Amino acid sequence: MRAKIAIAISGGIAAYKIPNLVRLFVKSGCEVKVVVSKNALNFVTETTLRTLSCNPVYSDMFSNNGSATEHISLADWADAFVVAPATADVIGKYANAIADDCLTTTLLAFDKTVFLAPAMNTKMYNNKGVQENLQTLIHRGVKLIEPVSGELACGASGNGRMAEPEQIFREVERHFESSGLLCGKTVCVTAGPTYEQIDPVRFIGNNSSGKMGIAIAENLAAKGARVLLICGPSNVKTNNPLIERTDVSSALQMYEAATAAFERSDAAILSAAVADYTPKNVFSQKVKKVDAALTIELVQTKDILATLGKMKSPKQALVGFALETNNEFENAKAKLEKKNLDFIVLNSLRDKNACFGYDTNKVTIIDAKGQTITTDLKSKAEIAEEIVLKLISVMQEKEK
Ligand code: CTP
């Protein structure tokens, strides 16, 4: 691995294991720079870290190599940031954007991938505030390297022991191995709801937030893909410059943008909640209330996914979503076959805290060979990772 890794050590007893983590990264060919909190230096010495990393150790905002903006240069320099051990204190500060020392200031100035390896007493780890802070960070894309169960420094036994340096190293290595997997590939993604206009001020819409599709687009771009994102009305922002976003409103506009984008794509993931019906005629003036019922005639929209299924060449991969309330598996399987998909992602409205509007989701992936994967309830960023890894395996299969 040839990455530049910043390791942040906060003040927990597990800090004594970090020199070993520094060695693992250096041995694998990485450049390493270490930033420590004041308390971390109670558990590990600056001399050890400097010697093993072959770089100065960052500990003080105002005396680091004579420059008061050294923390910004460190944040710009690193490809990934590993916070290990991450104490409750540093997790709380990071989640709330508090920067009161060299470590937390550098962390806030860093905008690439952050790995967090918490270490603390079980009761502290289970504390609602700590868990909420962790959830906040996970939803912002921070990668959690979960602590394990075992003997803790306080003498008790339970969850909260920092993952071993070998495991932390492997997770970071896995991230870099997959980060270039989609270089040179173009993937079309649809996301969000559609709005079907009734008159100049009213429309038929749905509750889709666009969060799932945008998490997929971000994940694809993080792995090097050029992403043609076609997004219905959504407040969710996109960050990666590899994402070319086209904002649309109606099902027809999404259809036109998606069919054009698919011609230039190696794969497509259609996660948008597209209206199945649209008003036959749009009133040119605002509809006035009268003392009678109002009937609006609706006509079917074009099915974008089914159209792409017909356009699809053997080399292109196509993924759809299915939102079901009953007979979930059978309905999803029928959609997979009817629309000529490589796999389908099933959302059930019966799962709590999943689907529309939530930051979490729980899905079942069903592929054309009948293989299924059911995930736990996870952040949409983590679900996106599972979907994208499945897409990569399908694309690799097609290249054989
Ligand atoms: N879809 C689409 N264009 C449409 C309708 C749906 O591209 N006009 C796509 C969705 O983006 C999703 C998949 O089709 O990937 C399934 O959507 P869903 O609403 O679950 O199914 P429908 O085929 O519309 O069937 P139904 O609503 O009857 O369940």
Side-chain angles (χ1 to χ4, degrees):
M1 188 171 29
R2 299 245 171 268
K4 292 182 188 132
I5 309 288
I7 299 182
I9 312 178
S10 58
I13 177 68
Y16 85 92
K17 296 183 177 178
I18 303 308
N20 193 20
L21 181 64
V22 174
R23 280 190 66 235
L24 288 170
F25 279 118
V26 171
K27 248 174 82 182
S28 80
C30 290
E31 276 184 74
V32 176
K33 290 187 180 176
V34 179
V35 54
V36 291
S37 70
K38 204 162 150 261
N39 288 338
L41 293 175
N42 290 319
F43 302 101
V44 64
T45 72
E46 201 165 332
T47 316
T48 309
L49 296 165
R50 181 168 19 93
T51 310
L52 292 175
S53 69
C54 307
N55 272 311
V57 173
Y58 298 74
S59 57
D60 191 319
M61 282 290 287
F62 302 103
S63 66
N64 277 329
N65 311 320
S67 163
T69 56
E70 198 65 25
H71 57 288
I72 304 289
S73 336
L74 175 58
D76 288 344
W77 171 86
D79 299 316
F81 220 110
V82 182
V83 188
T87 56
D89 179 64
V90 92
I91 291 168
K93 283 179 181 159
Y94 188 29
N96 291 287
I98 295 169
D100 63 353
D101 66 359
C102 189
L103 188 158
T104 46
T105 310
T106 313
L107 198 49
L108 278 201
F110 184 74
D111 59 3
K112 287 156 260 174
T113 309
V114 176
F115 295 84
L116 214 61
M120 68 198 77
N121 158 281
T122 309
K123 285 186 184 155
M124 286 173 75
Y125 189 66
N126 291 338
N127 176 281
K128 231 175 149 211
V130 172
Q131 284 302 319
E132 280 174 12
N133 285 336
L134 280 173
Q135 288 312 314
T136 302
L137 292 172
I138 290 169
H139 293 139
R140 287 185 199 150
V142 169
K143 310 247 183 260
L144 176 68
I145 303 178
E146 300 237 21
V148 293
S149 272
E151 207 177 304
L152 302 170
C154 57
S157 196
N159 192 19
R161 210 166 107 160
M162 187 184 78
E164 290 302 320
E166 288 75 10
Q167 196 201 329
I168 299 174
F169 171 77
R170 272 198 306 276
E171 296 224 7
V172 177
E173 187 182 45
R174 206 157 53 95
H175 165 77
F176 280 101
E177 276 170 5
S178 71
S179 63
L181 278 175
L182 288 169
C183 277
K185 300 288 179 203
T186 302
V187 184
C188 162
V189 176
T190 66
T194 62
Y195 286 179
E196 306 307 314
Q197 220 60 44
I198 296 170
D199 70 13
V201 291
R202 302 181 181 96
F203 59 82
I204 301 170
N206 61 65
N207 288 329
S208 169
S209 61
K211 286 179 183 170
M212 190 66 246
I214 288 173
I216 291 170
E218 290 285 354
N219 191 294
L220 289 162
K223 291 186 171 56
R226 175 178 175 224
V227 183
L228 308 177
L229 172 67
I230 297 139
C231 198
S234 165
N235 292 326
V236 186
K237 304 261 175 296
T238 36
N239 298 314
N240 195 308
L242 282 171
I243 301 175
E244 289 169 35
R245 177 169 177 161
T246 306
D247 288 304
V248 297
S249 183
S250 68
L252 181 61
Q253 288 167 352
M254 190 173 276
Y255 172 88
E256 281 165 358
T259 46
F262 192 54
E263 285 179 1
R264 297 183 281 141
S265 301
D266 300 287
I269 302 182
L270 301 204
S271 69
V274 188
D276 287 330
Y277 292 92
T278 190
K280 186 174 179 191
N281 300 304
V282 181
F283 293 92
S284 57
Q285 308 290 336
K286 185 181 165 205
V287 177
K288 285 292 187 194
K289 186 166 58 188
V290 287
D291 260 349
L294 172 70
T295 303
I296 297 172
E297 190 182 348
L298 301 177
V299 291
Q300 262 191 26
T301 56
K302 291 181 184 172
D303 191 316
I304 306 166
L305 186 59
T307 307
L308 301 198
K310 287 190 189 119
M311 287 168 66
K312 184 175 112 171
S313 78
K315 288 272 175 216
Q316 286 177 303
L318 183 60
V319 179
F321 272 66
L323 174 62
E324 305 292 342
T325 54
N326 57 306
N327 283 337
E328 290 96 330
F329 190 83
E330 292 70 21
N331 288 341
K333 191 117 202 322
K335 277 180 197 170
L336 168 94
E337 282 158 17
K338 193 167 148 216
K339 301 193 188 187
N340 190 22
L341 311 181
D342 292 281
F343 66 91
I344 193 156
V345 183
L346 165 64
N347 267 303
S348 169
L349 269 190
R350 283 198 254 194
D351 288 322
K352 293 223 164 18
N353 298 330
C355 204
F356 283 169
Y358 291 104
D359 287 327
T360 46
N361 204 357
K362 180 177 190 301
V363 301
T364 300
I365 295 174
I366 307 164
D367 73 16
K369 292 181 189 146
Q371 287 172 339
T372 64
I373 308 166
T374 299
T375 68
D376 296 331
L377 185 71
K378 292 180 181 188
S379 72
K380 287 190 172 170
E382 290 169 295
I383 297 286
E385 171 78 3
E386 298 227 14
I387 295 168
V388 172
L389 289 180
K390 176 73 184 172
L391 176 71
I392 290 170
S393 76
V394 169
M395 289 171 83
Q396 284 171 344
E397 202 49 42
K398 284 178 185 281
E399 273 166 19
K400 278 185 191 160

